[in-house]
Short mmCIF file of all heavy atoms in Angstrom, two decimals:
data_model
loop_
_atom_site.label_atom_id
_atom_site.label_comp_id
_atom_site.label_asym_id
_atom_site.label_seq_id
_atom_site.Cartn_x
_atom_site.Cartn_y
_atom_site.Cartn_z
N LEU A 1 -12.28 9.88 3.74
CA LEU A 1 -10.90 9.67 4.15
C LEU A 1 -10.35 10.91 4.79
O LEU A 1 -10.61 11.99 4.35
CB LEU A 1 -10.01 9.20 3.00
CG LEU A 1 -10.41 7.88 2.34
CD1 LEU A 1 -9.52 7.72 1.03
CD2 LEU A 1 -10.33 6.74 3.25
N THR A 2 -9.49 10.71 5.79
CA THR A 2 -8.83 11.89 6.43
C THR A 2 -7.70 12.33 5.50
O THR A 2 -7.33 11.62 4.56
CB THR A 2 -8.23 11.52 7.83
OG1 THR A 2 -7.25 10.50 7.56
CG2 THR A 2 -9.33 10.93 8.70
N ILE A 3 -7.18 13.47 5.74
CA ILE A 3 -6.07 13.98 4.97
C ILE A 3 -4.91 13.07 5.14
O ILE A 3 -4.17 12.76 4.14
CB ILE A 3 -5.73 15.40 5.46
CG1 ILE A 3 -6.79 16.44 5.05
CG2 ILE A 3 -4.37 15.89 4.86
CD1 ILE A 3 -6.63 17.78 5.61
N GLU A 4 -4.68 12.53 6.35
CA GLU A 4 -3.56 11.59 6.55
C GLU A 4 -3.75 10.28 5.71
O GLU A 4 -2.83 9.86 5.16
CB GLU A 4 -3.44 11.22 8.05
CG GLU A 4 -2.37 10.26 8.33
CD GLU A 4 -2.30 9.81 9.78
OE1 GLU A 4 -3.05 10.30 10.58
OE2 GLU A 4 -1.43 8.95 10.12
N GLN A 5 -4.99 9.89 5.64
CA GLN A 5 -5.23 8.56 4.87
C GLN A 5 -5.00 8.96 3.33
O GLN A 5 -4.41 8.03 2.73
CB GLN A 5 -6.65 8.14 5.11
CG GLN A 5 -6.89 7.56 6.54
CD GLN A 5 -8.29 7.35 6.86
OE1 GLN A 5 -9.17 8.11 6.45
NE2 GLN A 5 -8.56 6.28 7.67
N ARG A 6 -5.49 9.99 2.93
CA ARG A 6 -5.25 10.37 1.49
C ARG A 6 -3.72 10.54 1.25
O ARG A 6 -3.31 10.07 0.11
CB ARG A 6 -6.00 11.62 1.16
CG ARG A 6 -7.48 11.44 1.16
CD ARG A 6 -8.35 12.57 0.52
NE ARG A 6 -7.93 13.86 1.12
CZ ARG A 6 -8.80 14.60 1.83
NH1 ARG A 6 -10.01 14.19 1.98
NH2 ARG A 6 -8.42 15.72 2.35
N PHE A 7 -3.00 11.07 2.15
CA PHE A 7 -1.57 11.20 2.00
C PHE A 7 -0.91 9.86 1.90
O PHE A 7 -0.06 9.60 1.05
CB PHE A 7 -1.02 12.05 3.17
CG PHE A 7 0.48 12.27 3.10
CD1 PHE A 7 1.10 13.11 2.19
CD2 PHE A 7 1.32 11.52 3.93
CE1 PHE A 7 2.42 13.33 2.13
CE2 PHE A 7 2.68 11.68 3.84
CZ PHE A 7 3.28 12.60 2.97
N GLN A 8 -1.32 8.96 2.81
CA GLN A 8 -0.70 7.57 2.83
C GLN A 8 -1.05 6.85 1.49
O GLN A 8 -0.18 6.15 0.98
CB GLN A 8 -1.23 6.80 4.00
CG GLN A 8 -0.65 7.28 5.29
CD GLN A 8 -1.27 6.60 6.49
OE1 GLN A 8 -2.36 6.04 6.42
NE2 GLN A 8 -0.57 6.63 7.57
N ILE A 9 -2.24 7.04 0.98
CA ILE A 9 -2.56 6.45 -0.26
C ILE A 9 -1.74 6.99 -1.46
O ILE A 9 -1.19 6.23 -2.28
CB ILE A 9 -4.04 6.70 -0.65
CG1 ILE A 9 -4.94 5.85 0.34
CG2 ILE A 9 -4.36 6.34 -2.16
CD1 ILE A 9 -6.41 6.16 0.17
N GLU A 10 -1.50 8.28 -1.49
CA GLU A 10 -0.65 8.89 -2.47
C GLU A 10 0.81 8.37 -2.30
O GLU A 10 1.45 8.08 -3.35
CB GLU A 10 -0.67 10.43 -2.32
CG GLU A 10 0.16 11.16 -3.36
CD GLU A 10 -0.31 10.88 -4.81
OE1 GLU A 10 -1.43 10.53 -5.09
OE2 GLU A 10 0.57 10.94 -5.72
N GLN A 11 1.34 8.24 -1.11
CA GLN A 11 2.64 7.76 -0.89
C GLN A 11 2.74 6.35 -1.47
O GLN A 11 3.73 5.99 -2.15
CB GLN A 11 2.96 7.69 0.59
CG GLN A 11 3.50 9.01 1.12
CD GLN A 11 3.98 8.81 2.57
OE1 GLN A 11 3.30 8.27 3.43
NE2 GLN A 11 5.18 9.29 2.84
N PHE A 12 1.80 5.44 -1.16
CA PHE A 12 1.79 4.07 -1.61
C PHE A 12 1.76 4.02 -3.16
O PHE A 12 2.47 3.28 -3.79
CB PHE A 12 0.60 3.30 -1.03
CG PHE A 12 0.96 1.95 -0.53
CD1 PHE A 12 1.05 1.67 0.80
CD2 PHE A 12 1.21 0.92 -1.50
CE1 PHE A 12 1.39 0.37 1.24
CE2 PHE A 12 1.57 -0.33 -1.05
CZ PHE A 12 1.62 -0.62 0.35
N ASN A 13 0.82 4.88 -3.71
CA ASN A 13 0.77 4.93 -5.19
C ASN A 13 2.05 5.36 -5.87
O ASN A 13 2.52 4.74 -6.85
CB ASN A 13 -0.31 5.88 -5.58
CG ASN A 13 -1.72 5.37 -5.41
OD1 ASN A 13 -1.92 4.18 -5.40
ND2 ASN A 13 -2.78 6.21 -5.25
N ARG A 14 2.69 6.25 -5.30
CA ARG A 14 3.98 6.72 -5.84
C ARG A 14 5.05 5.58 -5.71
O ARG A 14 5.88 5.44 -6.62
CB ARG A 14 4.49 8.02 -5.18
CG ARG A 14 3.70 9.18 -5.54
CD ARG A 14 4.16 10.48 -4.89
NE ARG A 14 3.24 11.57 -5.19
CZ ARG A 14 3.56 12.79 -5.06
NH1 ARG A 14 4.81 13.19 -4.64
NH2 ARG A 14 2.70 13.74 -5.33
N THR A 15 5.09 4.88 -4.61
CA THR A 15 5.98 3.81 -4.42
C THR A 15 5.74 2.72 -5.49
O THR A 15 6.67 2.22 -6.05
CB THR A 15 5.88 3.22 -2.97
OG1 THR A 15 6.21 4.21 -2.06
CG2 THR A 15 6.83 2.03 -2.78
N LEU A 16 4.45 2.43 -5.68
CA LEU A 16 4.07 1.38 -6.65
C LEU A 16 4.51 1.78 -8.08
O LEU A 16 4.99 1.01 -8.86
CB LEU A 16 2.61 1.07 -6.64
CG LEU A 16 2.08 0.24 -5.41
CD1 LEU A 16 0.64 0.27 -5.37
CD2 LEU A 16 2.67 -1.09 -5.47
N GLU A 17 4.30 3.13 -8.39
CA GLU A 17 4.66 3.53 -9.75
C GLU A 17 6.15 3.54 -9.98
O GLU A 17 6.56 3.41 -11.15
CB GLU A 17 4.11 4.97 -9.97
CG GLU A 17 2.60 5.03 -10.00
CD GLU A 17 2.04 4.33 -11.22
OE1 GLU A 17 2.67 4.35 -12.31
OE2 GLU A 17 0.98 3.75 -11.08
N THR A 18 6.97 3.75 -9.02
CA THR A 18 8.38 3.83 -9.21
C THR A 18 9.13 2.52 -8.96
O THR A 18 10.28 2.47 -9.15
CB THR A 18 9.01 4.94 -8.31
OG1 THR A 18 8.74 4.63 -6.94
CG2 THR A 18 8.42 6.27 -8.65
N THR A 19 8.43 1.48 -8.48
CA THR A 19 9.11 0.25 -8.17
C THR A 19 9.25 -0.70 -9.38
O THR A 19 8.30 -0.90 -10.05
CB THR A 19 8.32 -0.55 -7.03
OG1 THR A 19 8.23 0.35 -5.89
CG2 THR A 19 8.98 -1.82 -6.67
N THR A 20 10.41 -1.07 -9.64
CA THR A 20 10.68 -1.97 -10.73
C THR A 20 11.13 -3.38 -10.27
O THR A 20 11.18 -4.32 -11.07
CB THR A 20 11.73 -1.39 -11.71
OG1 THR A 20 12.99 -1.12 -10.98
CG2 THR A 20 11.25 -0.08 -12.38
N ASP A 21 11.44 -3.53 -9.00
CA ASP A 21 11.96 -4.78 -8.48
C ASP A 21 10.73 -5.62 -8.08
O ASP A 21 9.93 -5.25 -7.29
CB ASP A 21 12.73 -4.46 -7.17
CG ASP A 21 13.19 -5.76 -6.51
OD1 ASP A 21 13.32 -6.81 -7.09
OD2 ASP A 21 13.56 -5.60 -5.27
N PRO A 22 10.66 -6.86 -8.80
CA PRO A 22 9.55 -7.76 -8.57
C PRO A 22 9.37 -8.15 -7.12
O PRO A 22 8.26 -8.28 -6.61
CB PRO A 22 9.79 -8.91 -9.40
CG PRO A 22 10.79 -8.40 -10.45
CD PRO A 22 11.53 -7.32 -9.88
N GLU A 23 10.48 -8.41 -6.40
CA GLU A 23 10.34 -8.80 -5.02
C GLU A 23 9.77 -7.64 -4.11
O GLU A 23 9.00 -7.97 -3.23
CB GLU A 23 11.72 -9.24 -4.49
CG GLU A 23 11.71 -9.68 -3.02
CD GLU A 23 10.76 -10.92 -2.84
OE1 GLU A 23 10.59 -11.72 -3.72
OE2 GLU A 23 10.08 -10.92 -1.77
N GLN A 24 10.19 -6.46 -4.46
CA GLN A 24 9.64 -5.33 -3.63
C GLN A 24 8.06 -5.20 -3.93
O GLN A 24 7.34 -4.93 -3.02
CB GLN A 24 10.35 -4.00 -4.01
CG GLN A 24 9.88 -2.89 -3.10
CD GLN A 24 10.65 -1.61 -3.34
OE1 GLN A 24 11.39 -1.52 -4.31
NE2 GLN A 24 10.52 -0.66 -2.51
N LEU A 25 7.70 -5.40 -5.20
CA LEU A 25 6.27 -5.40 -5.48
C LEU A 25 5.51 -6.44 -4.77
O LEU A 25 4.44 -6.24 -4.27
CB LEU A 25 6.06 -5.51 -7.03
CG LEU A 25 6.46 -4.28 -7.84
CD1 LEU A 25 6.45 -4.51 -9.33
CD2 LEU A 25 5.60 -3.08 -7.50
N ARG A 26 6.15 -7.70 -4.69
CA ARG A 26 5.48 -8.75 -3.96
C ARG A 26 5.37 -8.40 -2.45
O ARG A 26 4.26 -8.64 -1.84
CB ARG A 26 6.29 -10.02 -4.05
CG ARG A 26 6.16 -10.76 -5.38
CD ARG A 26 6.59 -12.13 -5.34
NE ARG A 26 7.86 -12.65 -5.93
CZ ARG A 26 8.54 -12.19 -6.94
NH1 ARG A 26 8.17 -11.20 -7.56
NH2 ARG A 26 9.57 -12.83 -7.39
N GLN A 27 6.35 -7.79 -1.90
CA GLN A 27 6.28 -7.40 -0.46
C GLN A 27 5.17 -6.32 -0.37
O GLN A 27 4.40 -6.40 0.70
CB GLN A 27 7.62 -6.83 -0.04
CG GLN A 27 8.63 -7.88 0.15
CD GLN A 27 10.02 -7.31 0.53
OE1 GLN A 27 10.25 -6.13 0.58
NE2 GLN A 27 11.00 -8.19 0.70
N LEU A 28 5.02 -5.40 -1.23
CA LEU A 28 3.98 -4.38 -1.12
C LEU A 28 2.66 -5.03 -1.24
O LEU A 28 1.68 -4.62 -0.52
CB LEU A 28 4.20 -3.29 -2.21
CG LEU A 28 5.38 -2.30 -2.05
CD1 LEU A 28 5.68 -1.54 -3.26
CD2 LEU A 28 5.20 -1.46 -0.80
N ALA A 29 2.51 -5.98 -2.13
CA ALA A 29 1.25 -6.64 -2.35
C ALA A 29 0.83 -7.43 -1.04
O ALA A 29 -0.30 -7.39 -0.66
CB ALA A 29 1.30 -7.63 -3.47
N ARG A 30 1.82 -8.02 -0.45
CA ARG A 30 1.55 -8.77 0.83
C ARG A 30 1.08 -7.77 1.93
O ARG A 30 0.15 -8.07 2.71
CB ARG A 30 2.79 -9.48 1.30
CG ARG A 30 3.11 -10.72 0.46
CD ARG A 30 4.38 -11.47 1.05
NE ARG A 30 4.87 -12.36 0.00
CZ ARG A 30 6.02 -12.26 -0.60
NH1 ARG A 30 6.83 -11.31 -0.28
NH2 ARG A 30 6.35 -13.16 -1.48
N GLN A 31 1.74 -6.65 2.01
CA GLN A 31 1.38 -5.62 3.01
C GLN A 31 -0.04 -5.16 2.72
O GLN A 31 -0.83 -4.98 3.68
CB GLN A 31 2.38 -4.43 2.97
CG GLN A 31 3.70 -4.66 3.48
CD GLN A 31 4.64 -3.48 3.31
OE1 GLN A 31 4.30 -2.58 2.56
NE2 GLN A 31 5.78 -3.56 3.88
N LEU A 32 -0.33 -4.85 1.51
CA LEU A 32 -1.75 -4.42 1.19
C LEU A 32 -2.82 -5.54 1.50
O LEU A 32 -3.83 -5.22 2.07
CB LEU A 32 -1.82 -4.14 -0.33
CG LEU A 32 -1.25 -2.77 -0.76
CD1 LEU A 32 -1.22 -2.71 -2.29
CD2 LEU A 32 -2.04 -1.64 -0.22
N MET A 33 -2.50 -6.73 1.20
CA MET A 33 -3.40 -7.86 1.57
C MET A 33 -3.64 -8.00 3.02
O MET A 33 -4.76 -8.14 3.48
CB MET A 33 -2.89 -9.18 0.95
CG MET A 33 -3.83 -10.35 1.16
SD MET A 33 -5.51 -10.12 0.46
CE MET A 33 -5.04 -10.23 -1.29
N LYS A 34 -2.55 -7.86 3.75
CA LYS A 34 -2.70 -7.97 5.28
C LYS A 34 -3.47 -6.85 5.81
O LYS A 34 -4.33 -7.04 6.64
CB LYS A 34 -1.24 -8.04 5.94
CG LYS A 34 -1.38 -8.25 7.36
CD LYS A 34 0.06 -8.33 8.03
CE LYS A 34 -0.07 -8.54 9.47
NZ LYS A 34 1.23 -8.66 10.09
N ALA A 35 -3.18 -5.65 5.30
CA ALA A 35 -3.98 -4.44 5.72
C ALA A 35 -5.44 -4.60 5.44
O ALA A 35 -6.37 -4.22 6.26
CB ALA A 35 -3.33 -3.16 5.22
N TRP A 36 -5.70 -5.07 4.21
CA TRP A 36 -7.10 -5.15 3.76
C TRP A 36 -7.84 -6.16 4.67
O TRP A 36 -8.89 -5.93 5.14
CB TRP A 36 -7.09 -5.51 2.32
CG TRP A 36 -8.45 -5.83 1.72
CD1 TRP A 36 -9.63 -5.16 1.96
CD2 TRP A 36 -8.75 -6.88 0.83
NE1 TRP A 36 -10.62 -5.71 1.26
CE2 TRP A 36 -10.20 -6.74 0.53
CE3 TRP A 36 -8.09 -7.83 0.14
CZ2 TRP A 36 -10.83 -7.61 -0.34
CZ3 TRP A 36 -8.73 -8.66 -0.68
CH2 TRP A 36 -10.10 -8.52 -0.97
N GLN A 37 -7.20 -7.29 4.86
CA GLN A 37 -7.87 -8.38 5.65
C GLN A 37 -8.00 -7.94 7.13
O GLN A 37 -9.03 -8.29 7.74
CB GLN A 37 -7.11 -9.72 5.58
CG GLN A 37 -7.14 -10.31 4.11
CD GLN A 37 -8.58 -10.53 3.65
OE1 GLN A 37 -9.47 -10.97 4.36
NE2 GLN A 37 -8.84 -10.24 2.39
N THR A 38 -7.05 -7.25 7.68
CA THR A 38 -7.12 -6.71 9.01
C THR A 38 -8.27 -5.80 9.13
O THR A 38 -9.08 -5.86 10.12
CB THR A 38 -5.83 -6.06 9.47
OG1 THR A 38 -4.73 -7.00 9.34
CG2 THR A 38 -5.89 -5.57 10.89
N GLN A 39 -8.44 -4.90 8.15
CA GLN A 39 -9.53 -3.94 8.16
C GLN A 39 -10.90 -4.63 8.06
O GLN A 39 -11.87 -4.24 8.79
CB GLN A 39 -9.41 -2.96 6.98
CG GLN A 39 -10.51 -1.87 6.97
CD GLN A 39 -10.56 -1.04 8.18
OE1 GLN A 39 -9.48 -0.53 8.66
NE2 GLN A 39 -11.70 -0.89 8.87
N LYS A 40 -10.94 -5.63 7.21
CA LYS A 40 -12.24 -6.48 7.10
C LYS A 40 -12.54 -7.08 8.47
O LYS A 40 -13.72 -7.12 8.88
CB LYS A 40 -12.12 -7.47 6.02
CG LYS A 40 -12.22 -6.92 4.59
CD LYS A 40 -12.02 -7.97 3.54
CE LYS A 40 -12.94 -9.03 3.67
NZ LYS A 40 -12.78 -10.09 2.52
N ALA A 41 -11.57 -7.67 9.11
CA ALA A 41 -11.78 -8.32 10.36
C ALA A 41 -12.26 -7.30 11.47
O ALA A 41 -13.21 -7.58 12.26
CB ALA A 41 -10.53 -9.01 10.85
N ALA A 42 -11.61 -6.12 11.49
CA ALA A 42 -11.94 -5.10 12.41
C ALA A 42 -13.43 -4.55 12.17
O ALA A 42 -14.19 -4.46 13.11
CB ALA A 42 -11.02 -3.94 12.38
#
């Protein structure tokens, strides 16, 4: 992973750790699923 990718992972991890709103967690999960499936397709 590049430094930028590792930084983005850390940012996402921190957001997940500090999020207590279930709707925000759902949105983050949707973003992750879309990114994962897009990467698989690519």
